[in-house]
Amino acid sequence: MSSGESTGASTDGSAGGIPAEDSPGSGGQASAKPGAGTPAASAPGQPPTAVVAALMLTMGLVALDTAIVATAVPQIVGDLGGFAVFSWIFSGYILAGTVTLPVYGKLSDTYGRKPVLLLGISLFLVGSLLCAAAWNMAALIAFRILQGLGGGALQGTVQTLAADLYPLKDRPHIQARMSAVWAGSALAGPALGGLIATYTDWRWIFLLNLPLAAAALWIISRHLVEPTRPPGRTGPVDWPGAVAVFACGGLLLFALVQGGVAWPWLSPPSLGLFAAATALGVLVVRIERRAEQPILPGWVWRRRTIAAVNLAMAGLGLLMVAPMLFMPTYAQSVLGLGPTGAGLVTSAMTLSWPISAAVAQHVYRRIGFRNTAATGVTLAALILGSFTLLPYPAPVWQPVLIMLLLGAALGLFQLPLIVGVQSTVGWEERGTTTASVLFCRNVGQSVGAALLGAVANATLAGRLSQAPLPGLPTNLDEVSRALTHPGLLSQEAAAYLRQAVAAAGDHIFLGATLAAAASALVLLLVAPRRFPVLPEQREG
């Protein structure tokens, strides 16, 4: 046991049949902070149906955004220009949402969830309106960053509110609904975006957000009543820490997004950005150690449970790069499917994920949060590894089956971690804890995109340099064009390039397999066998 852990154990059963967890304070819960071991809110009851609908609608706004915008990129670029920087339509949004997660988490713990959620919806609404009015690519990117600032508030706050409003025994139901929202958005987004881009103007993609965001704003402001809670911790908001966290995270993610794309990894821009991010990281540590109410409190990493979940979720973000970012390219370039068919292969994972999340509660009530999540991610590692055993060319049903099984495994992995870690903290720490988990997942995805992208590029470059026949692309920049227009290559050259892409896919999925295995080891070696669920959570 690490210092500060309690040796006591719960002697009662647990609500809903969940195995009795360690007593409050285990895994670092026994910090001597006011209210750490006392109920942080009145026992939650069933929230009004309108509030649940508004939360799902709010989550849907975030989930639908990237999927629906991606399909309209050709029309946007054709209208506004800026092909060289269009990727920042997505990167700017993701970066803004990620680096603000810790700030919004702390603000929700200080001022309550409702004001932060209303602020996030308002920023998202205004950002959407301005995106629809964008006059060039630079303006659209700037307004997408503003929209991302709102999206960052929505991601963490909705997840935190779900834990506030539902007792532990009912929390899996709302989390499963959230997973279903993400799945539905992944399926409907490309189709809806394609219809809008084909039959109307691309600006309607952003205008569509306005009535939905306005409805969510009105319902939440009118009907959401937060559970009664004790007086919050006093002290000034750590604005210097917030600015430092924002700057450090922004530089790090910017370096990861641009490295290997806009400039080589070992070039002066990359090295300079990573050095600046490191220096700002040191500054963040110094500021947060002195702050009365830090944005990134040290207990997030000192408590075994939260630290283990953060690291495991970073692994989830990294491994998700393989199915979400590479599978569409594999389906089109190797399997020969069109964009719609490739999207259906990828979306197979989103069909099984919410179903698995819905049944995960029955598993962790028997074997606990840690063991359920470890089982899920171990299965995910085996499934990801099986991709490397596919024949060339593989029948379409085989990658579809892999995606279905992967979604089922990840549903067992993610939901127990989120529900479990939220149940180990009181109200006054739940926003910060939830934000740290989502922040680590997003950073893991950014690191994974950079790392596995570099692996794929190295594989392709090696295969092209050893090509036994002429007519192939001479550099990586030409590969994308050749894959998009296979008629530019001879039949033999096209077949060789497809095999090179398949080899790159094997290496990407092997990297994702290692990430899943690392997450399993973190859970087994770092996380406590039983999560230290607070008493009021067990009694829920």
Side-chain angles (χ1 to χ4, degrees):
M1 282 191 177
S2 60
S3 60
E5 290 181 357
S6 168
T7 57
S10 172
T11 56
D12 58 80
S14 59
I18 299 174
E21 306 285 305
D22 294 342
S23 65
S26 180
Q29 292 295 333
S31 57
K33 293 183 179 181
T38 60
S42 60
Q46 289 297 326
T49 303
V51 172
V52 177
L55 292 181
M56 295 180 67
L57 178 60
T58 303
M59 183 63 76
L61 286 172
V62 180
L64 194 64
D65 182 84
T66 300
I68 194 173
V69 172
T71 57
V73 165
Q75 289 76 15
I76 294 174
V77 173
D79 187 15
L80 300 181
F83 179 80
V85 295
F86 83 88
S87 64
W88 275 94
I89 296 175
F90 308 101
S91 299
Y93 175 89
I94 294 170
L95 188 150
T98 299
V99 299
T100 52
L101 273 167
V103 178
Y104 286 128
K106 184 61 180 179
L107 290 178
S108 75
D109 284 343
T110 304
Y111 298 111
R113 327 296 187 207
K114 185 174 181 178
V116 175
L117 189 57
L118 293 177
L119 172 64
I121 297 174
S122 300
L123 287 175
F124 193 90
L125 192 155
V126 172
S128 298
L129 180 61
L130 292 174
C131 285
W135 54 91
N136 57 32
M137 185 61 73
L140 179 60
I141 291 171
F143 298 146
R144 282 284 286 171
I145 291 174
L146 176 62
Q147 196 182 27
L149 295 177
L154 303 184
Q155 288 182 62
T157 310
V158 169
Q159 293 277 11
T160 306
L161 260 173
D164 289 345
L165 298 175
Y166 283 85
L168 177 57
K169 64 184 177 66
D170 295 329
R171 205 167 295 156
H173 299 298
I174 186 64
Q175 291 290 353
R177 292 180 186 178
M178 297 294 182
S179 297
V181 168
W182 280 98
S185 300
L187 291 171
L192 184 57
L195 288 173
I196 292 175
T198 301
Y199 296 105
T200 63
D201 190 273
W202 62 265
R203 299 176 189 273
W204 281 99
I205 286 176
F206 298 104
L207 293 175
L208 183 67
N209 291 332
L210 303 186
L212 302 179
L217 192 67
W218 182 82
I219 294 172
I220 290 173
S221 61
R222 182 178 179 85
H223 294 286
L224 176 60
V225 179
E226 295 193 61
T228 305
R229 57 187 173 88
R233 296 172 183 171
T234 59
V237 176
D238 178 25
W239 292 117
V243 173
V245 168
F246 185 88
C248 178
L251 275 181
L252 176 61
L253 292 178
F254 183 76
L256 291 171
V257 168
Q258 293 294 88
V261 179
W263 46 68
W265 284 110
L266 297 180
S267 64
S270 276
L271 296 177
L273 285 171
F274 282 119
T278 301
L280 281 174
V282 174
L283 180 62
V284 167
V285 172
R286 295 188 64 179
I287 292 174
E288 298 302 84
R289 282 181 173 177
R290 298 177 180 179
E292 185 176 347
Q293 293 294 329
I295 293 292
L296 286 177
W299 53 260
V300 169
W301 292 105
R302 286 195 298 268
R303 299 182 189 176
R304 286 176 55 197
T305 305
I306 302 175
V309 171
N310 283 343
L311 292 173
M313 291 295 281
L316 172 64
L318 198 157
L319 71 87
M320 285 296 294
V321 170
M324 296 305 296
L325 298 186
F326 178 77
M327 183 57 78
T329 299
Y330 173 85
Q332 293 184 66
S333 303
V334 179
L335 302 182
L337 301 177
T340 302
L344 292 175
V345 172
T346 305
S347 64
M349 180 176 65
T350 66
L351 297 177
S352 55
W353 191 316
I355 297 174
S356 175
V359 302
Q361 59 176 313
H362 302 295
V363 181
Y364 70 64
R365 283 175 176 170
R366 291 181 176 274
I367 64 175
F369 294 118
R370 188 200 71 167
N371 291 341
T372 302
T375 300
V377 75
T378 300
L379 291 173
L382 296 174
I383 295 164
L384 288 165
S386 70
F387 180 89
T388 63
L389 303 178
L390 292 181
Y392 175 86
V396 174
W397 68 267
Q398 291 183 355
V400 169
L401 178 61
I402 285 177
M403 296 296 281
L404 279 170
L405 295 175
L406 182 61
L410 294 180
L412 284 178
F413 173 43
Q414 177 175 268
L415 184 134
L417 292 183
I418 292 179
V419 173
V421 78
Q422 287 179 331
S423 303
T424 66
V425 294
W427 188 99
E428 73 282 2
E429 295 177 345
R430 191 173 292 143
T432 298
T433 299
T434 304
S436 73
V437 170
L438 299 179
F439 177 80
C440 288
R441 185 189 65 187
N442 289 0
V443 170
Q445 188 164 352
S446 297
V447 172
L451 183 61
L452 297 184
V455 169
N457 289 341
T459 302
L460 286 173
R463 293 300 177 99
L464 292 176
S465 66
Q466 301 169 6
L469 65 161
L472 283 163
T474 57
N475 58 63
L476 294 176
D477 292 335
E478 297 177 3
V479 170
S480 177
R481 183 167 177 265
L483 291 175
T484 307
H485 303 89
L488 299 175
L489 303 176
S490 65
Q491 185 174 357
E492 294 79 8
Y496 184 88
L497 186 59
R498 285 195 297 271
Q499 288 182 325
V501 173
D506 288 343
H507 293 167
I508 286 176
F509 271 80
L510 180 59
T513 302
L514 295 176
S519 293
L521 287 176
V522 165
L523 290 174
L524 295 174
L525 299 179
V526 180
R529 188 172 64 89
R530 298 195 184 281
F531 282 19
V533 174
L534 295 182
E536 71 273 14
Q537 299 288 343
R538 292 199 297 271
E539 292 167 3

